Amino acid sequence: MSAGHRLDPADWDTFEAELHRIASACVDRLRAARDLPWRAPPDDMADRVAIRGEGAGTGALFDRILTDIVPYATGNTHPRFFGWVHGTGTATGVAAEMVAATMNANAGGRDQGAAHVERAVIDWLHGVAGWDGGSGLMTTGTSQATILALGCARMRAFPDVRETGIAGLPEIRVYIAEGGHSCVKKALEIMGHGARAVTRIPAPGGRMDVGALRAAIARDRAEGRHPLAVVGTVGSVNLGTFDDIAALADLAEAEGLWLHCDAAFGFWTRLAEAPWRDLSTGIERAHSIATDFHKWMAVPYAAGAVLIRDAALHRATYRERPEYLAAGGAGLAGGDWWATDYGIELSRGFAALKVWATVEGLGQAALGAQITDNCRQAARMGELAEASEYLDLAAPVVSNLCVIHPRAGDADDLAAALQLSGQAVFSTTRVAGRSCLRAAIVNHRTTDADVALAVRALEAEVAGAVRRGAAAK
Ligand SMILES: *Cc1c(COP(=O)(O)O)cnc(C)c1O
């Protein structure tokens, strides 16, 4: 029966029936996303999921997954989830994940379809960026993409760095706006340069001050440091603001610096209507771009990408082919594009399929329309906050982020109350020294009514805080 196939199902028909059952449960869950906000994991969650290692068999296993694990997701599939920058996922992505697991492609290299699909995704990204060609790679997200991009920047400046390491290099500097993402600092720490390699440039109104950047570069040069790269923020995580990328491109060109753009979610405003689609103008001149599919493109986690304009440099930075990875001509070891030549990983999954399926299945127009919707909704949320007697808009809404200062109560307490009641998920942040609730709308399930409902729920919480404050006096 199953001799020689000990890890395959003993009976395929039973497995198929069970798979249909769990697939139905997944579809039910997607269909009911509106009724399924975040639920805190139960106190005994760790015990429930502790590995027993007994080989429960498919039926019992699927029951356990559906009962003990599935209900306790982050809730970012819910239409009023606005916290941090969490993508929502799609049904198309779910199907693609199952197919990718079935193929079980190791997309690190060799002559296989997955490589062509990944390259098709990268080519499409080049088009969205306004590049005519270039290189790139799927990554687990923008954090990894940032390391790969800055690695190329370093390689351009110090072509021997792979051999020599960084000990003999001058102190490098990478410039990023105040409010730019911490993944840049982390990348430089991992690359061995330390956090001091990051210079934060003031960004009044959410845009890097180009004069201050020019002065910082001059100062560093005068003092013997090596200005390496400037990171343009294309959608800041805190406020959804955009640097003037064209101005940064001019400066980078004049100073011989690498221009990298952190476009984790903001990249996708390029698919939206005006005025949002023009926020990132200048990105077409960048040397590298990092972006995510798992945020605003609603592709299931994890999926991001790096784009590198100079393909030869990209390859020179990461290619490593010992004898057991030598390329062969006609066989499976052939193919002229191996992902492992362009990044950190050797073995890697077929994340490109869920991206490809999202774009091909849902269409670029629908994806763009949902970006436009979210930007409009953030603007609407801002208007509602401004009109409210309980709330203030903490900063102008530029794209899909709205940051609200409550006139009473503590922002963390208010956010927690709304999360626990399942009404809406805001995260919190500080703007100009004041703690605020923050909505980053990257949610294709959000309707205008959800926006109004979330603001009303917040107002009710603030009103409660006002009453409690009055009672305490
Ligand atoms: C989320 C985010 C990152 C980090 O991306 P990951 O995909 O989480 O690694 C970097 N920059 C910005 C602006 C982000 O929003």
Side-chain angles (χ1 to χ4, degrees), residues 141-143 181 183 235 237 262 264-265 292 294-295:
T142 289
S143 298
H181 199 273
C183 70
V237 67
D262 177 351
F265 63 92
D292 278 326
H294 52 215
K295 290 175 176 170

Side-chain angles (χ1 to χ4, degrees), residues 236-258:
S236 68
V237 67
N238 225 14
L239 297 174
T241 51
F242 288 63
D243 283 336
D244 181 345
I245 303 299
L248 296 187
D250 287 342
L251 185 75
E253 202 172 294
E255 297 281 351
L257 265 61
W258 182 279

